[in-house]
Amino acid sequence: ATHGLVAGSPVVFNTTGALPTGITAGTTYYVSATGLGASSFQIAATAGGASINTTGTQSGTHTGTLPTTRDLVYMDGYFFTLRADCVVVNSSVDDPTTWAAASFLAAQMYGGVGVGLKRQNNLMVIFLDRVVQFFYDAENTSGSPLSNVEQACQQMGCASHDSIAEHEGDIYWVTNHNTVAKLTGVTSLNEIQSPDLQRLLEAEGTAIVNSIGYVIHIGGRTFYILNLSTAARTFVYDTVEELWFEWEA
C-alpha cells in the first residue's frame, strides 16, 4: 500500500518476522531520497545518509505519525507544520512545546499530497502537489486557528519541496505543470518559464522532486537559482530583466 513517507522520515522495524539483511529491529533508520517510491523505499542509517545495501523485503503497516514536510512556520504566536496527508498541525499559542491532538486543519479542497508550507504577509501558503491554498488566522477557539481563503486557491501545485524559495514578498517554486511560478504578495501569481527550461523540466520526469531552488540578492539584483539534478544544470532567473540564464562552473 502507499506508505506516505518522504525522504528523511524515521522508520523503526518492530517485528518477529524476517527482516532485510543488515537491519536490526528497534533501531531507528531514515528513508533515503534514493529509491523512494509510492509503496517502497530504501533506508539510511542516519538522516541524510547514504542508502544501506539490503536484501529482501518486509511488509508491514505504517501506524506512526505521518511525516511532515520539514517546514516549521511561525505566525501570530503559533508554530505550524504540514503533514504529507495535507493536514496542517499547530502548536499551542505562545508555547512551541505543546502540540494538542485536536490542533489541526485538513487542507484538501482538491486532495493530493502535502509538499511545503510558507508564510506570505498575513496568510499561510500551503503547497500541495496539485494546488496552492491560502489560509488566514481566523482566531478560531478550537482546532486550528486557521481558516481557508477558498477564492484564493490556485490550481498550480508544487513538484519539489526544495524548489520553494522566498525573498522580500516573493515566493518561487517548480510547479506540477513543469514550469516555475512566482507569487508576489498574495494576489499576483505568474509562470516565469522559458520554452527551453520547460522542456528540461519535462525531461526530469519523476526526478523533478529533486529540483533545488534558492534566492540570492547581489549587486542590487535578485536572482532565483534553480538546479536540475538529472540534467545536472543550473539556471538563474533575473527578476529585473525577467530573463532566464544558465550558470556554468
Side-chain angles (χ1 to χ4, degrees):
T2 301
H3 49 63
L5 301 174
V6 297
S9 296
V11 176
V12 178
F13 294 89
N14 292 317
T15 178
T16 57
L19 285 169
T21 301
I23 303 303
T24 303
T27 298
T28 300
Y29 300 95
Y30 298 86
V31 174
S32 172
T34 303
L36 179 58
S39 58
S40 62
F41 60 90
Q42 295 180 16
I43 60 174
T46 60
S51 295
I52 297 173
N53 292 322
T54 65
T55 59
T57 59
Q58 177 66 39
S59 299
T61 303
H62 175 62
T63 57
T65 301
L66 286 169
T68 68
T69 61
R70 294 181 279 131
D71 296 313
L72 185 65
V73 179
Y74 176 84
M75 187 171 79
D76 298 345
Y78 299 91
F79 283 92
F80 297 87
T81 190
L82 174 67
R83 293 198 325 225
D85 61 349
C86 305
V87 171
V88 183
V89 296
N90 61 272
S91 69
S92 297
V93 64
D94 297 325
D95 183 6
T97 65
T98 301
W99 297 72
S103 298
F104 71 91
L105 173 73
Q108 281 196 343
M109 288 182 65
Y110 291 90
V113 177
V115 179
L117 182 69
K118 295 294 181 185
R119 177 180 177 178
Q120 185 77 316
N121 297 339
N122 64 333
L123 295 181
M124 192 68 67
V125 186
I126 313 298
F127 295 88
L128 279 63
D129 62 335
R130 301 177 185 178
V131 298
V132 175
Q133 294 180 229
F134 299 82
F135 294 80
Y136 71 100
D137 183 1
E139 300 182 3
N140 301 316
T141 57
S142 61
S144 172
L146 300 179
S147 289
N148 190 11
V149 185
E150 295 185 1
Q151 67 273 20
C153 179
Q154 300 284 345
Q155 295 191 41
M156 188 182 298
C158 181
S160 168
H161 171 274
D162 290 332
S163 72
I164 305 172
E166 57 184 326
H167 179 76
E168 295 183 352
D170 294 325
I171 302 180
Y172 305 82
W173 70 92
V174 172
T175 76
N176 60 325
H177 300 161
N178 296 316
T179 60
V180 177
K182 177 184 178 181
L183 174 67
T184 300
V186 295
T187 58
S188 178
L189 177 63
N190 297 288
E191 290 181 303
I192 56 172
Q193 82 285 1
S194 70
D196 290 338
L197 179 59
Q198 186 168 7
R199 283 192 292 270
L200 287 170
L201 287 169
E202 291 173 352
E204 289 290 294
T206 57
I208 198 171
V209 299
N210 299 320
S211 303
I212 299 175
Y214 57 97
V215 174
I216 63 172
H217 187 75
I218 186 171
R221 295 198 179 200
T222 300
F223 302 92
Y224 174 66
I225 318 296
L226 178 63
N227 177 262
L228 306 181
S229 62
T230 299
R233 297 167 70 177
T234 299
F235 297 87
V236 182
Y237 180 73
D238 185 327
T239 62
V240 175
E241 299 291 341
E242 298 185 344
L243 293 172
W244 284 96
F245 302 91
E246 183 171 3
W247 268 6
E248 296 182 355

